[in-house]
Amino acid sequence: QVQLVESGGASVQAGGSLRLSCAASGSTFSTSFMVMGWFRQAPGKEREFVARISSSGTVTYYADSVKGRFTISRDNAKSTVYLQMNSLAPEDTAVYYCAAGTLANYRYWGQGTQVSVSS
C-alpha cells in the first residue's frame, strides 16, 4: 500500500511562485516504478490534469494551461515528486492532488493541498 502526502500549498499573490511536494510512504519501492501526476480541482469545477512524470523522471507532460510556468520533477531516492509553479495566476487557485500509478490508472491519491492566488 502507498500513502501520498502533499505539502507546500499557500496563499500567494498573482505572479508569485510556490513549490508543492508529494511524499510517498508505505511501499515506496513500488512508487519508483510508477508514473506520478499532479491534478487540481477548483471550486465548482471538475478535477483536471496538470502534469505527469515518468518513473525515471525523463519524460514529462503538461496541460496547456500550465505549460511554460509549471515544472514537475521527482527524486526517487526521497520518494518525492515536486511541482514548481511560477507566474501564478488567480485561475490557478485550486486544491492540488498528487497521484501515483500508470497512465491508464492512477491508483493512489493524496488528500490535497490548497493553493490560493489573489490578484
Side-chain angles (χ1 to χ4, degrees):
Q1 192 72 315
V2 173
Q3 294 80 43
L4 302 175
V5 178
E6 303 94 336
S7 62
S11 297
V12 297
Q13 290 191 328
S17 298
L18 283 174
R19 188 176 82 153
L20 305 183
S21 299
C22 173
S25 62
S27 300
T28 56
F29 177 77
S30 61
T31 59
S32 64
F33 296 97
M34 294 183 185
V35 173
M36 300 292 292
W38 286 97
F39 295 75
R40 66 186 182 186
Q41 187 167 19
K45 295 187 177 181
E46 294 187 353
R47 186 170 58 194
E48 64 174 0
F49 166 80
V50 175
R52 69 171 180 254
I53 188 166
S54 63
S55 57
S56 64
T58 57
V59 180
T60 58
Y61 186 77
Y62 299 92
D64 287 343
S65 59
V66 306
K67 200 173 296 182
R69 299 188 299 123
F70 291 11
T71 302
I72 188 171
S73 61
R74 66 190 295 165
D75 185 339
N76 284 340
K78 296 182 178 179
S79 301
T80 301
V81 63
Y82 306 97
L83 186 68
Q84 177 67 43
M85 306 186 295
N86 299 327
S87 301
L88 283 163
E91 51 266 36
D92 295 316
T93 294
V95 177
Y96 284 71
Y97 299 90
C98 73
T102 67
L103 290 179
N105 179 28
Y106 285 97
R107 180 177 179 181
Y108 303 104
W109 291 82
Q111 294 300 306
T113 185
Q114 176 71 49
V115 172
S116 298
V117 185
S118 59
S119 57

